[in-house]
Amino acid sequence: MHRCFTLTIAQYSRLLLRKKLASLHCHQSAAMSGLLISQPKYSWMKELGLSEDNPGVYNGSWSGSGEVITSYCPANNEPIARVTQATLSDYEETVQKAKEAWKVWADVPAPKRGEIVRQIGHELRKKINLLGSLVSLEMGKILIEGVGEVQEYVDICDYAVGLSRMIGGPILPSERPGHALIEQWNPVGLVGVITAFNFPVAVYGWNNAIGLTCGNVCLWKGAPTTPLTSVAVTKIIAEVLERNNLPGAICSMTCGGADIGTAMAKDKRVDLLSFTGSTQVGKKVAMMVQERFGRKLLELGGNNAIIVFEDADLDLVVPSTVFASVGTAGQRCTTTRRLMLHESVHDTVVERIVKAYKQVRIGDPGDSTTLYGPLHTKQAVEQYLAAIEQAKQQGGTLVCGGKVIDRPGNFVEPTIFTDLPHDSPIVQTETFVPILYVLKFKTEEEAFAWNNEVDQGLTSSIFTKDLGRIFRWLGPKGSDCGIVNVNIPTSGAEIGGAFGGEKHTGGGRESGSDSWKQYMRRSTCTINYSKDLPLAQGIKFE
């Protein structure tokens, strides 16, 4: 018995040694790989189906034979994981499979398509915190914004489910006896979706949920710097399609760079191309699509303004301005970049906002107490510094911020400039960083004109209690933007309204209201159910 006990201890000692060696090997492997996903702290990413190396093409099966890229965390510039991008050959195969999948999807009744979208929303809801954490890790926005972005996708799925039983055109009165005049809406076919880094989930969600409900299939190319989010979202959708015995290519994905984007823009098989990004790139995309007389939906830049009048409630103005200018580290298309203050409240508001800026909690975006995270890339930090120098050269007074923060990652101080002329080149330029230009105005006419003088026309807001002024602002001589607000920030749009802007913002509309019409083609149909053949306008041709 004593001998048996001794052997048991010896066996147990060997077992502990093996475990210790295995654990040591595991930690050494993680250290050698240098990837965050290999660290225990980030093991939750594997619950989203991610691994150290991930295929970046999905068309019913996962593949990818292009360049292997590494995704980096903006908060520390450490590598997260790798993704194999698509080649043009991968793209060609994916388009062919997507077009074949459309033949199946188009025959599914709209309410049943809505049921599939409902299931997608349900699966997203189940993984909302995991996916929100991934957005925060890979894009750099704070955790609550990352989760909120996934919530937007869930909300638009709910919206699209209802829409699936409401899509339709009117029956119109015909001037001819025995005739019916109706409006028929049909899907366009294949919707290509190119999204930007700053909203790597929500913007695709707007297009995907509405596009699917309308009877289209989707081909997604996410931003090259947020490929893991694209892969994770597509895995969730793919599981729903496969569970319902539907072709996975209904929601295809090709991770890639400019070569894939150019191919989509030039491809006549892409019946609608939805592009979200900079005005500069959007212009090139628009020209390529127009050359083939294709359809395009553009969501581009915004040089957005908040206008504060003398009767404004400053307790609303200050938090609204801080949220809209500092949120997502100034990297929203709806970020407030210009703050126009009536001369009577200028100094008071500047003092209060500077005080609020200094209280913004800067740090790890994954920390639930953080309000302000890093810029997305090192290049964005360079743009920030260049814009600050230009603002100084053009006469601006730096009253807050203006420096790169000495810590790992792409952190910069939220910044405020005053004393710049409203028509300064830097004020007229949308710079995708957290810099706010404060302008002083005297009259309503002056403020409205300054709001409208920039190239973009995305979103705008005034703070006032004057009813007459409010309706002048909403009217034909007021704001020329696609989103026109009163007593709320420029950012934080709801999914129920159409989202988009005018001028260099592109003119597209996504999300709610009647934006679904962009994803469908309209036919005016006349049906003669009589035995006569009367012509319109009373024309006789006998």
Side-chain angles (χ1 to χ4, degrees):
M1 180 181 248
H2 178 70
R3 185 181 175 200
C4 291
F5 181 69
T6 304
L7 287 172
T8 303
I9 291 176
Q11 290 169 346
Y12 182 65
S13 298
R14 287 196 296 272
L15 179 62
L16 285 178
L17 180 61
R18 282 199 298 268
K19 283 188 175 182
K20 186 175 181 180
L21 290 171
S23 176
L24 181 63
H25 174 73
C26 179
H27 285 294
Q28 286 176 337
S29 297
M32 288 175 64
S33 74
L35 299 174
L36 294 183
I37 195 171
S38 301
Q39 299 178 13
K41 180 181 177 181
Y42 301 102
S43 61
W44 52 265
M45 283 191 279
K46 295 174 183 177
E47 296 180 50
L48 291 168
L50 298 175
S51 58
E52 290 191 4
D53 293 281
N54 303 274
V57 177
Y58 180 74
N59 51 33
S61 59
W62 290 92
S63 63
S65 54
E67 180 186 358
V68 176
I69 61 167
T70 302
S71 177
Y72 290 89
C73 173
N76 52 32
N77 284 320
E78 293 184 19
I80 305 171
R82 293 179 290 264
V83 175
T84 304
Q85 293 185 318
T87 62
L88 289 176
S89 177
D90 294 329
Y91 167 80
E92 177 62 30
E93 177 188 356
T94 301
V95 170
Q96 290 179 15
K97 288 186 176 180
K99 296 299 277 190
E100 285 300 311
W102 180 79
K103 296 175 183 178
V104 175
W105 187 240
D107 285 338
V108 177
K112 293 191 179 298
R113 296 196 296 259
E115 166 57 18
I116 300 301
V117 173
R118 186 200 66 78
Q119 292 180 35
I120 291 172
H122 180 65
E123 294 303 316
L124 288 165
R125 188 179 278 110
K126 285 162 61 175
K127 295 188 176 180
I128 190 168
N129 291 319
L130 287 171
L131 202 50
S133 296
L134 179 61
V135 171
S136 179
L137 182 71
E138 187 175 40
M139 184 271 151
K141 62 177 60 177
I142 61 174
L143 182 59
I144 194 170
E145 287 185 333
V147 173
E149 182 177 342
V150 183
Q151 184 64 52
E152 260 193 85
Y153 196 167
V154 172
D155 290 345
I156 200 66
C157 284
D158 289 345
Y159 182 93
V161 173
L163 185 66
S164 71
R165 293 183 179 271
M166 297 169 63
I167 292 173
I171 299 175
L172 303 166
S174 174
E175 66 184 63
R176 289 173 281 188
H179 284 60
L181 187 61
I182 67 172
E183 196 172 87
Q184 176 74 21
W185 291 85
N186 286 302
V188 294
L190 173 58
V191 176
V193 184
I194 300 176
T195 58
F197 75 87
N198 59 331
F199 280 88
V201 174
V203 173
Y204 176 64
W206 295 347
N207 286 275
N208 176 252
I210 302 297
L212 288 179
T213 295
C214 291
N216 302 292
V217 297
C218 296
L219 171 57
W220 183 19
K221 189 194 89 66
T225 52
T226 55
L228 297 172
T229 302
S230 299
V231 171
V233 169
T234 300
K235 282 183 177 290
I236 292 171
I237 298 171
E239 288 177 4
V240 173
L241 295 173
E242 291 165 11
R243 188 169 65 232
N244 285 274
N245 298 313
L246 289 165
I250 288 171
C251 293
S252 299
M253 180 198 69
T254 51
C255 292
D259 57 337
I260 301 298
T262 299
M264 292 172 72
K266 291 183 175 181
D267 195 339
K268 65 181 181 181
R269 295 169 297 179
V270 177
D271 301 288
L272 167 67
L273 183 63
S274 173
F275 174 85
T276 301
S278 70
T279 298
Q280 180 183 9
V281 177
K283 184 177 181 180
K284 295 177 181 178
V285 169
M287 293 176 69
M288 285 187 278
V289 176
Q290 186 57 43
E291 280 183 357
R292 60 179 175 86
F293 286 96
R295 281 197 186 203
K296 59 188 180 297
L297 195 168
L298 302 177
E299 294 288 356
L300 310 177
N303 194 348
N304 315 298
I306 284 178
I307 304 174
V308 180
F309 287 93
E310 63 273 22
D311 63 338
D313 182 343
L314 300 189
D315 289 337
L316 291 179
V317 169
V318 174
S320 294
T321 302
V322 174
F323 170 73
S325 57
V326 168
T328 323
Q331 298 169 110
R332 297 189 190 117
C333 54
T334 55
T335 292
T336 297
R337 309 202 182 278
R338 298 177 296 150
L339 176 62
M340 303 178 191
L341 302 174
H342 188 268
E343 58 184 0
S344 65
V345 298
H346 177 276
D347 293 350
T348 300
V349 174
V350 170
E351 181 181 351
R352 290 183 62 176
I353 289 178
V354 168
K355 183 179 179 181
Y357 262 49
K358 291 179 179 178
Q359 295 174 350
V360 172
R361 294 186 297 276
I362 302 172
D364 179 1
D367 186 332
S368 60
T369 64
T370 299
L371 293 178
Y372 175 93
L375 292 177
H376 185 56
T377 61
K378 295 178 182 178
Q379 290 75 18
V381 175
E382 294 171 2
Q383 292 170 5
Y384 167 86
L385 291 172
I388 286 172
E389 288 307 308
Q390 291 177 53
K392 289 178 179 178
Q393 292 169 9
Q394 293 170 26
T397 300
L398 179 66
V399 296
C400 183
K403 299 185 184 71
V404 175
I405 299 174
D406 185 15
R407 59 175 292 165
N410 308 318
F411 288 87
V412 300
E413 295 177 340
T415 299
I416 300 173
F417 275 96
T418 59
D419 300 326
L420 280 161
H422 67 93
D423 55 356
S424 301
I426 191 63
V427 174
Q428 295 286 309
T429 302
E430 180 199 23
T431 309
F432 224 57
V433 295
I435 300 177
L436 180 66
Y437 304 112
V438 180
L439 312 174
K440 185 188 294 186
F441 71 90
K442 295 181 178 180
T443 67
E444 175 185 305
E445 292 75 16
E446 187 176 54
F448 286 9
W450 291 1
N451 178 78
N452 296 345
E453 71 183 358
V454 296
D455 288 336
Q456 298 88 350
L458 179 52
T459 179
S460 54
S461 184
I462 62 168
F463 283 78
T464 184
K465 298 171 186 173
D466 186 326
L467 266 180
R469 178 179 291 136
I470 289 171
F471 282 95
R472 289 191 293 274
W473 172 244
L474 303 179
K477 295 181 180 178
S479 174
D480 64 358
C481 296
I483 299 171
V484 183
N485 294 334
V486 178
N487 295 330
I488 66 167
T490 56
S491 54
E494 299 180 29
I495 62 100
F499 182 91
E502 303 299 326
K503 302 187 297 188
H504 287 208
T505 302
R509 293 297 186 275
E510 293 172 328
S511 196
S513 186
D514 66 348
S515 299
W516 60 269
K517 293 180 179 179
Q518 303 234 10
Y519 302 86
M520 305 194 82
R521 56 180 178 83
R522 170 170 32 192
S523 301
T524 301
C525 311
T526 306
I527 302 167
N528 180 3
Y529 56 88
S530 73
K531 295 183 179 180
D532 299 317
L533 193 64
L535 301 178
Q537 292 84 47
I539 294 173
K540 301 292 183 181
F541 195 78
E542 299 175 347

